[in-house]
């Protein structure tokens, strides 16, 4: 889950599942440009991190979240 959404550019990303391993997060703007990329190691059922897009312009962004169990896409709105 992503919260708060919409936000001021700073938000929490939370994943809850039994899979452990690498998590790669890619953030794209609506034009399809990669604006940020992060790599984390998930070692427990709950993974939570803060994402900071405060230096980016307001608008919609897509988070591509790659985990050992697959790919998820979340939409984030920066006010």
């Amino acid at each position: 889950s992503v919260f708060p959404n919409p936000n001021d550019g700073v938000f929490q990303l939370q994943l809850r599942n039994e899979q452990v391993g690498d998590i790669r997060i890619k953030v794209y703007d609506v034009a399809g440009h990669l604006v940020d990329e992060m790599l984390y190691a998930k070692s427990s059922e709950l993974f939570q991190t803060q994402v900071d897009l405060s230096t980016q312009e307001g608008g919609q962004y897509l988070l591509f979240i790659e985990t050992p169990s697959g790919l998820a896409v979340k939409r984030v709105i920066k006010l």
Side-chain angles (χ1 to χ4, degrees):
S1 64
V2 175
F3 56 92
N5 193 19
N7 57 66
D8 62 0
V10 178
F11 57 91
Q12 298 291 318
L13 172 66
Q14 186 177 78
L15 303 173
R16 184 182 298 272
N17 61 34
E18 295 178 7
Q19 294 288 327
V20 295
D22 289 341
I23 296 175
R24 182 177 305 275
I25 301 167
K26 295 181 180 180
V27 183
Y28 292 89
D29 63 16
V30 292
H33 300 111
L34 180 66
V35 297
D36 204 353
E37 183 173 5
M38 299 146 270
L39 181 63
Y40 300 97
K42 183 175 181 280
S43 59
S44 64
E45 180 180 330
L46 177 64
F47 171 80
Q48 185 169 323
T49 190
Q50 179 173 286
V51 178
D52 186 349
L53 298 179
S54 60
T55 60
Q56 301 296 323
E57 293 185 21
Q60 294 186 38
Y61 293 87
L62 293 176
L63 303 179
F64 285 74
I65 306 159
E66 300 173 39
T67 69
S69 60
L71 175 68
V73 180
K74 299 283 186 184
R75 183 175 306 200
V76 175
I77 299 172
K78 180 183 182 238
L79 301 175

